[in-house]
Amino acid sequence: MRFHEDTIFKIEGQKYGQELIEIMNIEGKILKVHQTEYGIVDPKMYKPDLVFELEDRIIILEFQSSYVDVNDKRRFRFYSAIIDQVKVKSKKPIEVHVLSTVEPEKTKCYKINPDSRFPIYIHSLKSIDGDRFINKMNTKIEHEEYFTEKELLMTTLFCFMKSTQDVEKKILDSAELISSIPGLKKEMAQFAKGIVLMLCDKFVKDDTLNYRITNLVGGNMENVERYAQDRVDENNKQIIIKLTEKGFTTEEIIETLNVSKDFIEKTLAK
């Protein structure tokens, strides 16, 4: 992928991630979006798509274009173990939710042993007529009508809806539509384009089509990422000041925020 999606989602994920889980009928309020890169494992093999901390539990959200098999189940169980032991260190229960392009709503289980089952909650948007939805959104663009945040997120998830087109073509349609929406807020565009690029990276195997989609929504992603990183840095600066006032040492702040000593010193010198 041509951009670092953790940066893209870290700031805007709490707001727009809430809309996303509501579309999937997952109840709860998002408190925090967690980083999904773990240096102790191969990120190409073991990297959850999104991790949301809710008030009462932690949600691992995966996008899937194939049936969840036993290898997927093991991978999801591994995610939960890593998040539980290494990253989040919370007493909250961890759930894995999958938004699938092929499977209906159901719950699958991974049997760790005869007495232990790990549930995996599969969600589907196949009840939505995707072709009709996209036509409606294109009409809104033609008439320069306002897009709600939910409509924009639904557009990014077109590939999960019922349609006469294949998954790759649906992702292309999403990319073209999002790129055509006038007056889109930078923050919302950032999150929507991040979702489309993630889906493109996961599902679009044709190199030419992948390149086309990436260029459509990712041509200015370097600027978007820089904007997102600036917001992350500003947020970290405020936290550094507060932690310092509470007596935290530089080493403790480095461990807590994963920032450099130089960054801390420059922040406190201002």
Side-chain angles (χ1 to χ4, degrees):
M1 189 174 291
R2 291 177 56 189
F3 75 109
H4 195 286
E5 65 267 26
D6 276 341
T7 303
I8 299 300
F9 294 133
K10 187 172 182 180
I11 291 296
E12 309 306 338
Q14 184 170 336
K15 178 178 180 180
Y16 301 117
Q18 188 68 46
E19 295 269 3
L20 181 61
I21 66 171
E22 288 174 4
I23 289 171
M24 297 171 59
N25 294 317
I26 299 175
E27 296 182 353
K29 180 181 179 181
I30 294 176
L31 301 180
K32 186 176 182 181
V33 180
H34 286 282
Q35 185 179 3
T36 61
E37 285 279 15
Y38 306 118
I40 63 171
V41 293
D42 180 356
K44 292 182 179 179
M45 291 184 62
Y46 298 112
K47 184 180 183 303
D49 288 332
L50 292 167
V51 179
F52 297 127
E53 182 171 355
L54 278 59
E55 293 175 311
D56 59 344
R57 64 200 191 281
I58 294 166
I59 298 291
I60 299 172
L61 177 57
E62 281 287 298
F63 300 116
Q64 188 102 350
S65 63
S66 58
Y67 286 86
V68 173
D69 60 19
V70 66
N71 291 323
D72 294 316
K73 293 176 182 179
R74 291 194 185 105
R75 177 166 54 89
F76 299 155
R77 182 68 184 90
F78 183 82
Y79 289 166
S80 68
I82 291 294
I83 291 170
D84 184 38
Q85 297 296 322
V86 179
K87 297 301 295 184
V88 181
K89 298 179 181 178
S90 169
K91 294 182 180 180
K92 296 177 181 178
I94 299 173
E95 296 178 355
V96 172
H97 291 253
V98 176
L99 183 56
S100 175
T101 65
V102 292
E103 293 197 74
E105 299 265 349
K106 65 174 70 173
T107 300
K108 289 187 172 181
C109 288
Y110 174 48
K111 292 184 180 180
I112 302 170
N113 56 57
D115 299 318
S116 179
R117 290 171 175 263
F118 179 72
I120 298 161
Y121 304 98
I122 298 176
H123 301 262
S124 172
L125 298 181
K126 292 298 183 184
S127 61
I128 301 173
D129 186 330
D131 294 335
R132 183 178 179 182
F133 172 79
I134 287 296
N135 287 337
K136 180 181 177 181
M137 295 304 102
N138 279 318
T139 299
K140 293 192 75 167
I141 290 178
E142 290 173 7
H143 292 89
E144 298 184 351
E145 296 178 10
Y146 174 75
F147 268 67
T148 66
E149 292 174 353
K150 183 175 181 179
E151 286 174 334
L152 184 59
L153 278 176
M154 292 285 283
T155 300
T156 69
L157 301 177
F158 173 43
C159 68
F160 295 99
M161 301 177 190
K162 181 177 67 176
S163 173
T164 56
Q165 304 179 61
D166 62 29
V167 170
E168 294 189 349
K169 179 61 168 62
K170 286 191 282 186
I171 294 175
L172 173 62
D173 283 355
S174 291
E176 290 178 334
L177 198 152
I178 289 171
S179 300
S180 302
I181 299 174
L184 193 59
K185 291 182 181 179
K186 183 181 289 187
E187 293 89 350
M188 189 64 223
Q190 171 180 305
F191 189 81
K193 289 179 178 181
I195 291 288
V196 172
L197 286 173
M198 177 188 288
L199 295 175
C200 176
D201 191 56
K202 288 176 69 77
F203 299 156
V204 180
K205 305 306 179 185
D206 181 273
D207 290 340
T208 301
L209 186 57
N210 190 300
Y211 181 77
R212 181 179 174 186
I213 293 170
T214 301
N215 277 345
L216 268 173
V217 296
N220 64 344
M221 285 307 290
E222 183 178 343
N223 292 331
V224 172
E225 181 175 338
R226 189 181 303 115
Y227 164 79
Q229 187 60 56
D230 287 344
R231 294 197 61 184
V232 171
D233 289 345
E234 286 302 316
N235 187 55
N236 282 339
K237 288 176 183 178
Q238 297 300 318
I239 296 174
I240 287 169
I241 293 171
K242 290 180 181 178
L243 291 179
T244 301
E245 291 173 349
K246 291 182 179 181
F248 279 65
T249 66
T250 298
E251 288 71 23
E252 288 172 331
I253 295 174
I254 290 173
E255 183 178 354
T256 302
L257 295 180
N258 193 28
V259 294
S260 68
K261 182 178 180 180
D262 182 63
F263 183 83
I264 295 172
E265 291 175 346
K266 287 181 179 179
T267 298
L268 297 177
K270 293 181 179 179

